[in-house]
Amino acid sequence: AGASALVDGLIRNSFIKVLNLKKNTIGDRGAVDLAYILESNTPSLEELDLSENPKIGDVGANAFIR
């Protein structure tokens, strides 16, 4: 739920270039939602750090590989 709200805000934001979400409790659902940012050509986001989020499994990781 939190990552989904973040995605909604980032899609409308044209200034954030780097987003560090290291060590948050993001899981597969959040990762899939965040991958949507990259797929939707959000113009400003250049770097997304999701390291040390052990709840992101294969489903979440695969969302970024497409």
Side-chain angles (χ1 to χ4, degrees):
S4 295
L6 181 62
V7 167
D8 290 341
L10 288 172
I11 288 173
R12 294 182 196 102
N13 186 300
S14 61
F15 301 103
I16 293 177
K17 297 207 180 285
V18 177
L19 181 60
N20 184 341
L21 297 174
K22 183 177 182 177
K23 293 187 180 182
N24 283 275
T25 55
I26 297 170
D28 283 333
R29 172 63 192 205
V32 169
D33 289 343
L34 289 167
Y36 175 76
I37 292 173
L38 300 178
E39 291 176 351
S40 66
N41 297 322
T42 302
S44 63
L45 189 62
E46 296 173 358
E47 183 178 331
L48 176 62
D49 184 354
L50 293 173
S51 63
E52 299 183 49
N53 281 288
K55 293 183 179 183
I56 297 177
D58 291 341
V59 171
N62 285 333
F64 290 94
I65 297 172
R66 296 186 226 163

